[in-house]
Amino acid sequence: MNIVKRHIKQVSIIIVFILINFLIISVISKIYYEFNSGADRSTSLHIELKSNDYYLPKVTFNTSNSKGRKLNPEVLKNIKNDYLNAWYVKSYALNYNDINSFKDFYTDSAQVKLTDMIQYNYKNEISVQSTSLQHNLDVQFFSEDGQLVFLKDINVEEIIDVSQNGISINNEQSFNDYDVVLLLEDGFWRVRHLIKTKHQEKTLQKTETVMPLSFDVKGINYYPQKTPWLEFWTQFDSSIIDKDFNKIKKLDFNVIRIFIPYEAFGKATVSNQNINNLKTTLDLADKNQLKVIITFFDFYSDYRISDYTLCDRHLEQIITEIKGHKAILQYDIKNEPDLDFKNHTKIKVLKWLSFISERIKQYDNKTPITIGWSSAKQTHHLKDKVDVVSFHFYEKPIRFFERYTTLKSMTDKPIIVQEFGKHSYNSFWFPYSNTEANQADYYKEMQKQFELFDNISFVSWTLYDFPKIDSSVFGSLPHKIQPQKNYGIIDVHGNYKEASKFVLNSNEKSTVNSYKYLNKFIVSVIIFFLISIIIFVKYRKRKK
């Protein structure tokens, strides 16, 4: 027994000795690595820097004026990456007043000025949000030992928003030139000098209307019936879309409105597959003699200035591929952005919309742009930034005349009622139930309102009732998701609902069963009331 205990003790001592030596070797290796390769930048930043997903300005390089050692592509790539990271962490530091975030991206002497600035801002509760959209790097000198590079960063397009105590006090877009010195330390290019040599505020040009006033839009918002919202693109089926577009044309519509989901399309890195699917959709629309309103940034909700370059890359990749297509009628910046005013502030959302409108014009200045406001009351925002004024109308038809007349008096630009409609969800438990007859009456009344104006443009919501909707879109609560499934003029069985007679002059016939005219909730209330009376009467008789 004692021999066994002695062996266990000896084995334990050996294991502890091995573990202690392993830990010592690991610590020594870590220290050696740090001294020879520099610190981990994501650790020093206190945020995780991932390649190509946080800050993506456009960058050009010119080395024709460079003196000294010849630059190879690998060195240029490293200079670009480290220099852009230096800009990003500077922006991050000034936004959050974090003096530790930039230390591995600037030399010791360069850190002094940044530290003083951040300490002053922190003391005075100042925050600076900023980004840069374009860098044009002109390399002037690369040292023979490969340790120093001097370059000029020309015509840097910057956006800066200064806030104090949470209130914006200065917002500026400008073009600036910089003289830059970078030193190679611990395998990284660190900023030694970043000196602004020229400053010019950006002059914003007024947007001119490019859409003819005479175009008569009679359109419908479109999703495939079995794959609506995000699934339109993740389960793309061109044969179904072609059949649907043919059906839409036969209904005498001339325009469809489709949606580009920001994340599902790849955010800043749009996949070739999604681009090809969008092109196919446009080709099929043109084949069926339909024009297309393309709504960007669906389900997007990050309006921070630091996100601007990602949005810019998203737009650039899509628009440069599709601009000039015969089927495109308009670009719609975003669907109902005013609904984000509460959670993201009106100022932040409007600044983002203004930025996006300018970037779209940068890539395609011939296609008109619009914003799909949730109501006519919001259309005064950024009216000088759009070519077409669009709003959604889900109020009672009798209120349309006043809303539209007021809007007409405020603008000379074309106006589109970009969404309107009424659901036909009918349930015993749902107090806001509508019958198909109610839906048809709504469209009939809306058409009467439209007839009060000459050549009014409108886009109905929507073609189909949907058998299912992804819960990530509207959640899983029945009172939210069920009505959204029943706004169509064609039901889940492919039958044309009564509303199809009045949404447009259609040759299609309605196939409505009589029971669909009964409001089930009202029926349930009547039944409940009758049962209550019967119970009450029986109770009184029993009491007597």
Side-chain angles (χ1 to χ4, degrees), residues 200-367:
Q200 180 182 347
E201 288 192 25
K202 184 176 181 179
T203 303
L204 301 180
Q205 297 180 347
K206 186 177 179 180
T207 303
E208 298 296 333
T209 301
V210 294
M211 176 184 175
L213 289 169
S214 59
F215 190 89
D216 191 14
V217 174
K218 308 297 179 189
I220 196 158
N221 287 271
Y222 172 72
Y223 284 115
Q225 187 167 50
K226 293 184 179 179
T227 56
W229 278 274
L230 300 177
E231 293 178 350
F232 182 175
W233 304 105
T234 59
Q235 300 181 38
F236 187 84
D237 190 326
S238 60
S239 62
I240 290 175
I241 294 169
D242 190 22
K243 291 176 183 177
D244 286 347
F245 285 0
N246 182 260
K247 187 179 296 184
I248 289 169
K249 184 61 181 176
K250 287 181 178 179
L251 282 165
D252 289 336
F253 291 107
N254 57 14
V255 170
I256 58 166
R257 179 173 176 238
I258 62 173
F259 301 81
I260 306 297
Y262 177 70
E263 279 198 37
F265 245 62
K267 298 194 288 188
T269 309
V270 181
S271 70
N272 290 331
Q273 184 63 56
N274 282 326
I275 291 288
N276 291 334
N277 289 344
L278 177 57
K279 286 181 177 179
T280 298
T281 303
L282 294 173
D283 290 341
L284 293 174
D286 185 55
K287 171 188 171 184
N288 290 280
Q289 299 177 308
L290 297 170
K291 296 294 183 183
V292 183
I293 299 173
I294 300 174
T295 300
F296 290 109
F297 295 101
D298 208 24
F299 302 109
Y300 176 83
S301 60
D302 190 348
Y303 300 98
R304 296 174 301 170
I305 289 177
S306 59
D307 214 45
Y308 279 19
T309 61
L310 307 186
C311 296
D312 193 22
R313 296 289 73 74
H314 179 81
L315 283 174
E316 181 186 33
Q317 291 171 71
I318 295 175
I319 293 178
T320 54
E321 288 289 335
I322 64 172
K323 69 177 182 179
H325 197 289
K326 292 186 295 182
I328 298 175
L329 178 66
Q330 296 170 14
Y331 298 131
D332 178 15
I333 294 176
K334 193 179 189 315
N335 184 56
E336 300 183 341
D338 49 298
L339 298 185
D340 288 332
F341 285 173
K342 182 177 180 180
N343 292 329
H344 298 279
T345 77
K346 180 187 292 187
I347 292 176
K348 185 183 290 186
V349 175
L350 291 178
K351 285 178 179 176
W352 179 86
L353 290 168
S354 178
F355 166 74
I356 295 299
S357 70
E358 293 169 17
R359 300 314 291 178
I360 290 177
K361 290 295 184 184
Q362 185 82 16
Y363 301 120
D364 183 357
N365 60 6
K366 294 181 179 179
T367 302

Side-chain angles (χ1 to χ4, degrees), residues 81 96 111 123-124 129 137 139 168 171 174 214 242 253 258 270 279 283 285 301 324 328 344 377 385 430:
N81 290 340
Y96 297 100
Q111 291 177 29
K123 182 179 178 181
N124 292 277
Q129 294 187 59
L137 305 178
V139 181
S168 179
N171 182 262
S174 60
S214 59
D242 190 22
F253 291 107
I258 62 173
V270 181
K279 286 181 177 179
D283 290 341
S301 60
I328 298 175
H344 298 279
K377 295 177 182 178
K385 290 285 187 179
F430 189 57

Side-chain angles (χ1 to χ4, degrees), residues 472-483:
S472 65
V473 178
F474 293 104
S476 56
L477 296 175
H479 72 282
K480 289 186 176 181
I481 201 168
Q482 293 300 332

